[in-house]
Amino acid sequence: GGGGGGGAGGSVAMAKAVVCTSQQGSGVQIAAAIKKEGAGIVLEMDFTNSTPQPLQNFAIQLNKSSFGITVKDAAISLASPVGPGDTSSPVKVTIGCTPAMMAPAGTEPSANLQVAIKNMHANSVFYFTMPVPLFALFKASPLDTESFKAKWQACDKALESSATASGLPGGGDVAATAAFCAGRLRGAGAAEAVTVTGADGVTRAYHHAATMTNVLVLVELSFKAGFAGCKVAVRSDQPAYAPVLRAAVEQLLKI
């Protein structure tokens, strides 16, 4: 990998954010983020204890979601008990994606994940919904440049999702901004197919990846000299997913 200014292999991650307030969690606050780590994916959480007793043991359960996210182990044991008013050291739960945990067919794709946590000390369960940075679920696609071109053309342009990502590094220099974007996408597991500059003066860079549940992510980034950003267009073999995947690519570029 490389590029993109992040951890190993150029991958970048969202910072942890509070996903469950102390009020929601009956005295337990959780800050969390989902990110790539090594060859896997983790849900990293910080538990803050506002109850009157030390806490150490929890269990986690995920609802079905658009990307079939699942936990490898439901039991969560903090490294040491967390006293009232204290926050745990980061807890990492290994997650994966499985078709058995995918939302029923016909459900509108969403980047949200519904989580249930059981406080084993109080024998109580609380629930929250957290956003998933879907680029953390990207992997290499099975396509090469020629099969990418065929797939891109086969997808109905009317079903692509597009938006503008502005304020990117490069100061309006096309090569610099395109290199930054390529580094970010590469760090997330995407591959570069081809870059072409048209007679209209627009440079278009094409990238491709797949989600862990094998939904294709076909990306066109359009750059123009003097504009510090790009137009992001995403097509997919499952077009209902294009809007959430496009939002994820934009998120990846703008972290």
Side-chain angles (χ1 to χ4, degrees), residues 25-40:
S26 302
V28 180
Q29 175 185 288
I30 298 175
I34 288 175
K35 58 187 184 180
K36 276 188 164 70
E37 188 161 283

Side-chain angles (χ1 to χ4, degrees), residues 46-223:
D46 297 337
F47 288 78
T48 300
N49 182 8
S50 299
T51 76
Q53 62 174 353
L55 300 176
Q56 187 168 20
N57 299 305
F58 298 87
I60 183 169
Q61 188 176 340
L62 306 180
N63 208 343
K64 288 188 174 182
S65 63
S66 297
F67 294 87
I69 298 170
T70 183
V71 289
K72 290 283 179 1
D73 187 357
I76 297 174
S77 183
L78 306 183
S80 57
V82 174
D86 289 340
T87 298
S88 69
S89 52
V91 180
K92 292 177 181 178
V93 175
T94 301
I95 62 174
C97 298
T98 173
M101 286 299 289
M102 287 185 70
T107 307
E108 187 176 348
S110 163
N112 287 334
L113 180 64
Q114 294 173 332
V115 183
I117 299 278
K118 185 173 186 179
N119 177 344
M120 305 304 275
H121 304 271
N123 206 25
S124 63
V125 179
F126 54 92
Y127 305 88
F128 59 89
T129 298
M130 67 176 288
V132 178
L134 298 177
F135 59 81
L137 309 181
F138 287 2
K139 63 178 182 179
S141 86
L143 305 177
D144 60 18
T145 298
E146 290 311 309
S147 55
F148 167 84
K149 287 178 181 175
K151 280 280 185 196
W152 179 264
Q153 295 299 340
C155 291
D156 185 351
K157 179 174 170 55
L159 298 177
E160 80 176 17
S161 177
S162 63
T164 301
S166 56
L168 300 181
D173 178 76
V174 168
T177 305
F180 166 81
C181 294
R184 281 286 167 93
L185 283 158
R186 196 163 50 241
E192 205 164 342
V194 64
T195 298
V196 292
T197 301
D200 57 1
V202 176
T203 296
R204 295 174 177 86
Y206 295 88
H207 302 260
H208 53 93
T211 69
M212 293 293 178
T213 45
N214 299 312
V215 177
L216 289 177
V217 188
L218 311 177
V219 182
E220 177 189 68
L221 303 180
S222 302
F223 305 91

Side-chain angles (χ1 to χ4, degrees), residues 9-22:
S11 65
V12 291
M14 301 297 288
K16 273 178 286 198
V18 173
V19 292
C20 178
T21 64
S22 177

